[in-house]
Amino acid sequence: MAEMEVRETAPGEFLWQWTASGNRAAGTELSPVWPESCVADMNMLRCGEKGLFGTLEVQGVGERYSAAIVKIFWLDGQSRIFTLTAGQPEVHLYGSAEDRRGMGEIAQAYGILGVEHILGGFDHLMFVLSLLFLVNFNKRLVLTISAFTLAHSFTLALSALGLLTLRSPPVEATIALSIMLVAGEALNKEQTLSRRWPALVAFLFGLVHGLGFAGALSEIGLPQKHLFVALLTFNLGVELGQLLVVIGCYCVYRLFASQPRFIAARTPALYAIGGVAAYWSIGRVVSILA
């Protein structure tokens, strides 16, 4: 994920730069296309009386970088955060921090962001896969996925509204631990609590995953207008992405369920999921103690 900072230094004049983009400079992979009224001279942007008004596009997003976060700071002290992705590579700016997007535009934007977040969030996807291994494709799967959805929707809303806040490292460590535990339970052939009540396990861990979704949403930023629409559509986008994953897994299962090699791959797949989650968990714990 790449980050760009745009700061107004004088009326209609902005200084911009890539501030965080991993090991390689984002400028070599991403190219901003500024509004027509703006003239770019290296890292200086001159937009005249209109200010930063018009369409901003970031070309190349979705290739090496999954998203580009654009942080704009105006002279009056106000600021806005925009997240551009492959599905939504441009945003309309209105010359100030005021958000003039309508309800429909916000719903579309945050719905797409929700889908892209779950499809690109490997930790959440691994948890869903672990649940599929634990429950398999039977009638209990609907209740289990519904419990997970209900739980993370609840904590996502609480956190996004500022009613519940936790530091990111402990949340990420707990999410990794949840993947390890569910993968381990899927390997266990005994009738454990998780096997008898998978929906309960999904609900409890879903509360933590909701805080993880909220952390991503806080980076994206929420609009001042139509806040609940943004929350609702982001969550619906997450559910749509989750449903696509489950349907995709079901199709693969139906195609290869009769193949002995496919059946034999279940155990190493669960060990791989648990191993990756253990690595993530150790890394998060180290960051907490550091």
Side-chain angles (χ1 to χ4, degrees), residues 8-47:
E8 190 173 20
T9 57
E13 295 188 0
F14 299 82
L15 186 65
W16 70 276
Q17 62 178 344
W18 295 106
T19 58
S21 56
N23 296 326
R24 297 181 61 180
T28 62
E29 307 285 342
L30 304 177
S31 177
V33 179
W34 303 104
E36 292 182 359
S37 60
C38 298
V39 177
D41 181 14
M42 299 296 288
N43 287 80
M44 180 60 70
L45 193 65
R46 295 179 173 86
C47 300

XYZ file of all heavy atoms in Angstrom, residues 8-47:
307
model
N -1.285 21.941 1.309
C -1.418 23.285 0.740
C -0.472 24.243 1.474
O -0.569 24.414 2.690
C -2.862 23.773 0.853
C -3.123 25.052 0.084
C -4.589 25.430 0.063
O -5.347 24.941 0.940
O -4.991 26.219 -0.818
N 0.436 24.852 0.732
C 1.431 25.752 1.318
C 1.066 27.223 1.147
O 1.545 28.081 1.878
C 2.806 25.492 0.695
O 2.719 25.656 -0.734
C 3.279 24.065 0.998
N 0.245 27.515 0.149
C -0.253 28.859 -0.129
C -1.572 28.673 -0.881
O -1.833 27.583 -1.396
C 0.745 29.654 -0.979
N -2.410 29.702 -0.944
C -3.694 29.526 -1.627
C -3.518 28.974 -3.044
O -2.877 29.595 -3.901
C -4.274 30.945 -1.647
C -3.696 31.597 -0.433
C -2.301 31.040 -0.325
N -4.058 27.805 -3.301
C -3.985 27.197 -4.630
C -2.679 26.499 -4.941
O -2.511 25.972 -6.042
N -1.721 26.495 -3.997
C -0.435 25.849 -4.237
C -0.227 24.712 -3.235
O -0.469 24.880 -2.041
C 0.710 26.857 -4.133
C 0.662 27.928 -5.214
C 1.920 28.797 -5.209
O 2.810 28.550 -4.355
O 2.008 29.710 -6.052
N 0.230 23.569 -3.751
C 0.345 22.358 -2.933
C 1.706 21.701 -3.145
O 2.233 21.705 -4.256
C -0.751 21.343 -3.305
C -2.146 21.860 -3.095
C -2.763 22.659 -4.044
C -2.842 21.545 -1.933
C -4.052 23.132 -3.853
C -4.129 22.012 -1.733
C -4.731 22.811 -2.701
N 2.228 21.164 -2.077
C 3.449 20.362 -2.127
C 3.040 18.919 -1.879
O 2.356 18.609 -0.905
C 4.437 20.824 -1.057
C 5.825 20.167 -1.073
C 6.576 20.542 -2.352
C 6.628 20.603 0.150
N 3.446 18.003 -2.791
C 3.019 16.621 -2.637
C 4.233 15.687 -2.692
O 5.267 15.994 -3.296
C 2.015 16.227 -3.730
C 2.617 16.117 -5.109
C 2.833 17.123 -5.995
C 3.102 14.913 -5.726
N 3.415 16.645 -7.142
C 3.594 15.287 -7.010
C 3.162 13.592 -5.329
C 4.136 14.356 -7.889
C 3.710 12.665 -6.210
C 4.180 13.050 -7.469
N 4.102 14.532 -2.042
C 5.157 13.530 -2.054
C 4.601 12.184 -1.598
O 3.602 12.113 -0.886
C 6.301 13.948 -1.125
C 5.906 14.077 0.333
C 7.054 14.446 1.232
O 8.204 14.342 0.854
N 6.735 14.885 2.447
N 5.261 11.119 -2.037
C 4.950 9.785 -1.534
C 5.643 9.642 -0.191
O 6.831 9.925 -0.068
C 5.445 8.707 -2.495
C 4.756 8.717 -3.828
C 5.262 9.142 -5.013
C 3.418 8.282 -4.105
N 4.337 9.019 -6.025
C 3.196 8.481 -5.493
C 2.394 7.752 -3.313
C 1.968 8.161 -6.085
C 1.190 7.440 -3.915
C 0.987 7.640 -5.277
N 4.896 9.237 0.831
C 5.467 9.205 2.178
C 5.738 7.805 2.707
O 6.570 7.622 3.576
C 4.520 9.908 3.173
O 3.236 9.263 3.140
C 4.354 11.365 2.794
N 5.030 6.788 2.239
C 5.246 5.418 2.713
C 4.811 4.453 1.628
O 3.673 4.488 1.188
C 4.449 5.156 3.992
N 5.743 3.605 1.200
C 5.408 2.693 0.107
C 6.264 1.443 0.115
O 6.474 0.819 -0.914
C 5.574 3.420 -1.239
O 6.894 3.953 -1.353
N 6.800 1.041 1.292
C 7.599 -0.183 1.337
C 9.036 0.075 0.932
O 9.588 1.156 1.131
N 9.657 -0.919 0.326
C 11.073 -0.842 0.014
C 11.362 -0.054 -1.259
O 12.436 0.474 -1.430
C 11.656 -2.256 -0.139
C 11.587 -3.032 1.164
O 11.721 -2.457 2.233
N 11.374 -4.339 1.078
N 10.390 0.010 -2.182
C 10.609 0.709 -3.441
C 9.804 1.995 -3.463
O 8.733 2.088 -2.877
C 10.210 -0.185 -4.614
C 11.039 -1.441 -4.724
C 10.612 -2.270 -5.921
N 10.788 -1.537 -7.170
C 10.482 -2.032 -8.362
N 9.980 -3.250 -8.470
N 10.657 -1.319 -9.459
N 10.332 3.000 -4.158
C 9.641 4.277 -4.255
C 8.377 4.114 -5.073
O 8.392 3.565 -6.173
C 10.563 5.315 -4.889
N 7.250 4.596 -4.524
C 5.980 4.447 -5.225
C 5.973 5.232 -6.529
O 5.250 4.892 -7.464
C 4.842 4.915 -4.318
N 6.785 6.292 -6.591
C 6.834 7.110 -7.790
C 7.289 6.366 -9.020
O 7.026 6.787 -10.150
N 7.996 5.256 -8.841
C 8.428 4.466 -9.986
C 7.327 3.543 -10.488
O 7.429 3.020 -11.597
C 9.663 3.609 -9.625
O 9.298 2.688 -8.570
C 10.801 4.487 -9.129
N 6.281 3.325 -9.679
C 5.205 2.399 -10.027
C 3.868 3.107 -10.230
O 3.036 2.635 -10.999
C 5.038 1.348 -8.914
C 6.319 0.612 -8.537
C 6.721 -0.415 -9.568
O 5.846 -0.792 -10.380
O 7.896 -0.833 -9.555
N 3.668 4.215 -9.533
C 2.396 4.921 -9.561
C 2.574 6.326 -10.120
O 3.596 6.972 -9.895
C 1.799 5.005 -8.151
C 1.583 3.678 -7.416
C 1.054 3.939 -6.015
C 0.632 2.774 -8.175
N 1.558 6.775 -10.832
C 1.635 8.099 -11.448
C 0.332 8.851 -11.208
O -0.730 8.422 -11.684
C 1.893 7.961 -12.950
O 1.898 9.234 -13.580
N 0.362 9.968 -10.455
C -0.871 10.740 -10.226
C -1.244 11.561 -11.454
O -0.376 12.130 -12.134
C -0.505 11.634 -9.044
C 0.975 11.811 -9.149
C 1.517 10.534 -9.729
N -2.525 11.600 -11.756
C -3.057 12.474 -12.808
C -3.916 13.522 -12.106
O -4.979 13.221 -11.579
C -3.896 11.677 -13.830
C -4.454 12.620 -14.892
C -3.057 10.585 -14.482
N -3.433 14.759 -12.104
C -4.061 15.825 -11.327
C -5.236 16.438 -12.082
O -5.367 16.263 -13.298
C -3.028 16.900 -10.991
C -1.838 16.378 -10.259
C -0.591 16.144 -10.766
C -1.789 15.998 -8.873
N 0.242 15.644 -9.792
C -0.457 15.544 -8.617
C -2.705 16.002 -7.828
C -0.068 15.096 -7.362
C -2.312 15.564 -6.582
C -1.005 15.116 -6.360
N -6.107 17.174 -11.384
C -7.214 17.879 -12.057
C -6.696 18.782 -13.172
O -5.559 19.283 -13.116
C -7.849 18.689 -10.924
C -7.542 17.904 -9.688
C -6.183 17.310 -9.920
N -7.528 19.009 -14.176
C -7.108 19.765 -15.370
C -6.640 21.171 -15.038
O -5.775 21.729 -15.727
C -8.261 19.824 -16.366
C -8.614 18.471 -16.979
C -9.724 18.590 -17.993
O -10.231 19.721 -18.200
O -10.094 17.557 -18.603
N -7.207 21.770 -14.004
C -6.841 23.149 -13.656
C -5.499 23.243 -12.946
O -5.016 24.349 -12.685
C -7.928 23.765 -12.764
O -8.075 23.008 -11.566
N -4.891 22.102 -12.605
C -3.632 22.092 -11.858
C -2.445 21.846 -12.784
O -2.524 21.045 -13.730
C -3.662 21.024 -10.772
S -4.935 21.283 -9.517
N -1.353 22.524 -12.488
C -0.107 22.347 -13.235
C 0.954 21.822 -12.272
O 1.224 22.446 -11.247
C 0.362 23.681 -13.870
C 1.696 23.484 -14.583
C -0.687 24.212 -14.832
N 1.538 20.687 -12.619
C 2.538 20.055 -11.748
C 3.938 20.429 -12.208
O 4.264 20.336 -13.396
C 2.371 18.543 -11.758
N 4.765 20.866 -11.278
C 6.170 21.162 -11.520
C 6.970 20.412 -10.463
O 7.122 20.882 -9.347
C 6.422 22.664 -11.448
C 7.878 23.023 -11.733
O 8.618 22.146 -12.231
O 8.273 24.168 -11.451
N 7.472 19.227 -10.850
C 8.113 18.328 -9.905
C 7.126 18.022 -8.770
O 6.064 17.512 -9.019
C 9.411 18.957 -9.382
C 10.452 19.231 -10.481
S 11.052 17.711 -11.273
C 12.050 17.041 -9.958
N 7.461 18.357 -7.529
C 6.584 18.065 -6.395
C 5.725 19.255 -5.989
O 5.079 19.224 -4.947
C 7.408 17.598 -5.192
C 7.938 16.201 -5.378
O 8.927 15.996 -6.061
N 7.272 15.218 -4.788
N 5.719 20.285 -6.831
C 4.881 21.449 -6.571
C 3.682 21.418 -7.506
O 3.801 21.119 -8.696
C 5.672 22.747 -6.773
C 4.870 24.013 -6.523
S 4.218 24.133 -4.827
C 5.742 24.418 -3.913
N 2.507 21.715 -6.940
C 1.270 21.676 -7.714
C 0.603 23.045 -7.601
O 0.330 23.525 -6.506
C 0.354 20.585 -7.147
C -0.847 20.147 -7.968
C -0.395 19.471 -9.259
C -1.704 19.187 -7.150
N 0.345 23.675 -8.755
C -0.285 24.995 -8.773
C -1.662 24.861 -9.413
O -1.764 24.476 -10.583
C 0.582 25.999 -9.516
C 1.921 26.272 -8.820
C 2.787 27.270 -9.584
N 3.971 27.625 -8.817
C 5.104 26.922 -8.824
N 5.182 25.816 -9.564
N 6.145 27.306 -8.103
N -2.689 25.187 -8.641
C -4.065 24.949 -9.089
C -4.881 26.223 -9.257
O -6.068 26.137 -9.604
C -4.773 24.014 -8.119
S -3.991 22.391 -7.969
